[in-house]
Amino acid sequence: MFVLIGAAIVVGSVLGGYLLEQGNMALLVQPAELLIIFGAAIGGFIISSPMKVIQSVKAGLFRMLSSRIYSASDYLEALVLLSEIFFKIRKEGLVAIEADLDEPEKSSIFKKYPKFLKNHHALAFLTDTLRTLTITDIEAHELASLLDYEIEAHFEEALIPSKSIANVADSLPGLGIVAAVLGVVITMKKISEPPEVLGHSIGAALVGTFLGVLMCYGFVGPVSRNLESIANEDREFLTVLKAALLSFVNTPSPQVAVEFARRVIPGDLRPTFLELEAVIKKAKK
């Protein structure tokens, strides 16, 4: 929603200012300029991007148009899930959760937390780590390094859409100049025409530069930074899970592990100690 609101503000501000100066809207409608700029930009993107990258960009754009990627309820749900898993491990041992890890979609624990279950990266991160603990005697510092590597690898992969869109944004001003130069070339054929004809033709050519710069800084560039923010939110969420897992390995206390995780949550999304305690007590009932 905020993406669409921001786009509307950009368009309204630019066109509103243009109209206040008695600008001619018809002059801005240049289909040929749009074809040159956006056709070349899309073609360049396809040339530089394997199918995997194109699909990740498509998925990233859909996520961007959704609501906030992670909400306070998402973090709270994750903490309650961690609490339930840790209490079960402490009471029955790691072997007791093997069935939950093998088929989380059928797990009586995971099915209580549908949002987390739909978060495939976080689900795999949690289940793979717990599965590692069930089959190995990995040291805490080794586990910390392993989780850091996994988070960093996921973050770099999540940044691919942002970097790809940023490359498109960087190309748009140059492609706008290409469109403008072609417009000037066409104008030179009309050099014998009256000044008003030449002025209209040159104005149409300059629309190419205008569109290239506007799309770069008003739309495509901000989209790239939005996708980067999404990648950062993914990393923050995985970091919360990492804090809980490492704390539980070092000190097998569910309360302490969940509190470590709670403290890592971004401040604007972090539940209070009492709020979390109340939700966990309610879940136990």
Side-chain angles (χ1 to χ4, degrees):
M1 177 62 70
F2 283 104
V3 172
L4 299 178
I5 292 174
I9 292 174
V10 171
V11 172
S13 299
V14 173
L15 296 184
Y18 180 71
L19 291 174
L20 283 175
E21 292 296 325
Q22 286 77 49
N24 184 358
M25 287 294 295
L27 191 59
L28 296 182
V29 181
Q30 302 294 333
E33 304 279 340
L34 291 172
L35 176 62
I36 293 170
I37 296 170
F38 293 107
I42 293 172
F45 169 70
I46 293 174
I47 291 172
S48 64
S49 305
M51 182 54 66
K52 177 184 177 181
V53 173
I54 295 175
Q55 291 174 343
S56 67
V57 169
K58 180 180 177 181
L61 292 176
F62 277 117
R63 287 189 72 188
M64 182 189 68
L65 293 174
S66 65
S67 58
R68 185 183 178 94
I69 306 305
Y70 291 103
S71 64
S73 63
D74 294 322
Y75 279 103
L76 189 58
E77 181 182 84
L79 294 179
V80 179
L81 168 62
L82 290 168
S83 174
E84 184 169 354
I85 291 175
F86 292 158
F87 272 109
K88 185 173 182 179
I89 292 173
R90 191 177 70 171
K91 183 178 180 180
E92 304 176 28
L94 281 166
V95 178
I97 65 167
E98 285 186 348
D100 299 299
L101 301 179
D102 292 338
E103 295 182 299
E105 295 80 8
K106 299 179 181 179
S107 165
S108 59
I109 295 178
F110 283 101
K111 285 195 295 186
K112 299 177 186 177
Y113 310 97
K115 288 184 179 180
F116 190 92
L117 197 58
K118 292 179 181 179
N119 190 335
H120 301 297
H121 289 297
L123 180 64
F125 183 83
L126 177 60
T127 55
D128 287 350
T129 304
L130 291 173
R131 193 176 289 113
T132 299
L133 295 176
T134 63
I135 63 176
T136 67
D137 293 325
I138 188 170
E139 297 290 336
H141 68 276
E142 294 175 332
L143 180 62
S145 297
L146 175 63
L147 297 183
D148 284 337
Y149 287 140
E150 183 173 353
I151 291 174
E152 190 60 30
H154 172 69
F155 179 63
E156 289 299 322
E157 183 179 359
L159 280 179
I160 290 175
S162 173
K163 292 179 179 179
S164 298
I165 296 296
N167 290 335
V168 174
D170 291 340
S171 71
L172 286 172
L175 294 175
I177 293 174
V178 169
V181 169
L182 292 177
V184 172
V185 170
I186 294 173
T187 301
M188 297 306 293
K189 292 173 56 179
K190 305 176 182 178
I191 196 68
S192 60
E193 298 288 339
E196 57 271 16
V197 175
L198 292 176
H200 184 277
S201 184
I202 293 174
L206 291 176
V207 169
T209 302
F210 158 72
L211 289 175
V213 174
L214 174 64
M215 293 305 300
C216 173
Y217 297 107
F219 295 97
V220 184
V223 166
S224 171
R225 289 186 287 276
N226 192 308
L227 293 174
E228 183 179 354
S229 297
I230 291 175
N232 278 314
E233 289 196 31
D234 281 338
R235 181 167 63 175
E236 289 172 350
F237 193 78
L238 294 181
T239 301
V240 171
L241 301 182
K242 169 196 162 187
L245 291 164
L246 290 179
S247 174
F248 190 70
V249 169
N250 283 313
T251 307
S253 167
Q255 297 94 331
V256 173
V258 171
E259 178 60 15
F260 265 81
R262 187 186 73 84
R263 296 291 184 94
V264 179
I265 296 174
D268 59 326
L269 302 175
R270 183 189 305 150
T272 64
F273 182 90
L274 295 177
E275 180 184 2
L276 176 59
E277 186 179 35
V279 174
I280 290 176
K281 286 181 179 179
K282 183 179 179 180
K284 288 181 179 179
K285 294 179 182 179

